[in-house]
């Protein structure tokens, strides 16, 4: 970590704003740029928090990010039948860290490659019903070392997607019967569950909100699930 950034963090946490301001005013333009770059790199690659990646994904997709931990990740107002209503989004960002010293490095575990996958933690039929009735859209984003690669959007009501979730819920809670404090720990999905239907035909109710060019994508090919990469490449310019 940049030694000046270490000092900034210490001053911010222990000193007055005046002392922090004086420290920053004493720095050159290049120093300040280096401090900001280091801070953003640390924040955007934080393994314990996806907040900034959620913010990036919602903002680029035209939603207002919800800073609260409770509720969906973002919303926007749309007009439907002359009435303004809220449209919500749930964000599932994934960031690949390419550090070769990382035990979860993409070269060591293929499951850590970008595949437009995500999961719902501690899922239940009650949450599924709420999500299905919430006018909810899914935003799926992929990053490599904090660099945004893609954002895909589709309605939660995408049939093949909800079929995948229902299959897992049915296995865990047959006939919708659930004991108190019992949860499906992870209801997961990937690109196959919303880009294609059960007959392996392309779905037409997903869209691409952001995607690198073909030339840029090639630089990140090794960090992708091969089938997903080949499919995504068809949409790149």
């Amino acid at each position: 970590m940049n030694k000046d950034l270490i000092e900034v963090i210490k001053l911010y946490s222990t000193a007055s704003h005046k002392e922090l301001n004086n420290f920053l005013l004493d720095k050159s333009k290049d120093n300040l740029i280096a401090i900001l770059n280091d801070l953003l790199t640390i924040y955007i690659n934080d393994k314990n928090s996806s907040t900034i990646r959620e913010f990036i994904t919602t903002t680029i997709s035209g939603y207002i990010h919800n800073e609260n931990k409770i509720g969906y990740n973002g919303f926007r107002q749309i007009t439907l039948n002359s009435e303004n209503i809220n449209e919500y989004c749930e964000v599932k960002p994934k960031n690949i860290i390419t550090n070769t010293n990382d035990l979860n490095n993409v070269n060591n575990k293929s499951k850590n490659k970008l595949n437009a996958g995500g999961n719902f933690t501690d899922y239940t039929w009650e949450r599924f019903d709420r999500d299905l009735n919430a006018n909810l859209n899914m935003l799926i984003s992929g990053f490599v070392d904090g660099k945004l690669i893609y954002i895909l959007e589709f309605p939660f009501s995408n049939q093949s997607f909800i079929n995948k979730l229902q299959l897992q819920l049915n296995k865990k809670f047959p006939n919708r019967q659930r004991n108190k404090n019992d949860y499906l720990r992870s209801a997961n999905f990937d690109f196959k569950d919303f880009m294609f239907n059960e007959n392996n035909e392309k779905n037409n109710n997903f869209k691409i909100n952001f995607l690198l060019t073909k030339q840029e994508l090639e630089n990140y090919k090794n960090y992708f699930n091969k089938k997903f990469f080949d499919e995504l490449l068809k949409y790149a310019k």
Side-chain angles (χ1 to χ4, degrees), residues 43-75 89-95 119 121 139-143 146 148 150-151 209:
Y43 190 17
I44 203 168
N45 288 302
D46 188 349
K47 297 177 185 177
N48 298 312
S49 173
S50 60
T51 300
I52 193 170
R53 296 188 292 274
E54 291 172 1
F55 175 83
I56 292 167
T57 306
T58 54
T59 302
I60 289 178
S61 297
Y63 292 83
I64 298 172
H65 182 244
N66 176 15
E67 296 180 0
N68 299 319
K69 293 294 183 182
I70 299 174
Y72 297 118
N73 298 123
F75 71 95
C89 67
E90 182 74 5
V91 183
K92 301 297 180 183
K94 186 171 184 176
N95 186 40
N119 70 85
T121 305
L139 297 178
I140 314 300
S141 55
F143 297 77
L148 180 61
Y150 60 81
I151 303 174
N209 295 344

Side-chain angles (χ1 to χ4, degrees), residues 191-235:
F191 76 99
K192 298 186 297 296
D193 302 310
F194 62 87
M195 293 181 76
F196 299 91
N197 62 27
E198 293 182 331
N199 296 321
N200 205 34
E201 300 167 333
K202 285 188 180 180
N203 272 329
N204 57 11
N205 66 345
F206 80 91
K207 62 180 182 177
I208 296 174
N209 295 344
F210 180 89
L211 182 60
L212 294 182
T213 65
K214 285 185 178 180
Q215 185 176 359
E216 290 175 306
L217 275 177
E218 288 290 348
N219 295 329
Y220 298 96
K221 185 175 183 178
N222 291 337
Y223 306 109
F224 271 84
N225 167 283
K226 184 181 184 307
K227 290 183 179 179
F228 176 51
F229 180 83
D230 291 343
E231 189 60 34
L232 203 57
L233 205 59
K234 298 175 184 178
Y235 298 92

Side-chain angles (χ1 to χ4, degrees), residues 96-157:
I96 300 297
I97 303 294
T98 63
N99 184 351
T100 54
N101 294 321
D102 190 335
L103 293 178
N104 292 323
N105 181 267
V106 67
N107 295 319
N108 297 331
K109 296 185 178 181
S110 60
K111 70 178 182 179
N112 285 329
K113 294 191 176 185
L114 294 173
N115 63 355
N119 70 85
F120 295 87
T121 305
D122 293 342
Y123 213 49
T124 63
W125 277 114
E126 291 83 2
R127 278 189 60 194
F128 172 83
D129 292 339
R130 182 199 68 184
D131 293 342
L132 190 58
N133 293 315
N135 196 29
L136 178 66
N137 290 323
M138 300 296 301
L139 297 178
I140 314 300
S141 55
F143 297 77
V144 175
D145 292 333
K147 168 76 171 179
L148 180 61
I149 310 299
Y150 60 81
I151 303 174
L152 309 179
E153 180 174 359
F154 62 92
F156 184 91
S157 59

Side-chain angles (χ1 to χ4, degrees), residues 31-41:
N31 282 147
L32 293 175
I33 291 172
I35 290 171
L36 180 59
N37 279 335
D38 269 19
L39 181 60
L40 286 173
T41 299

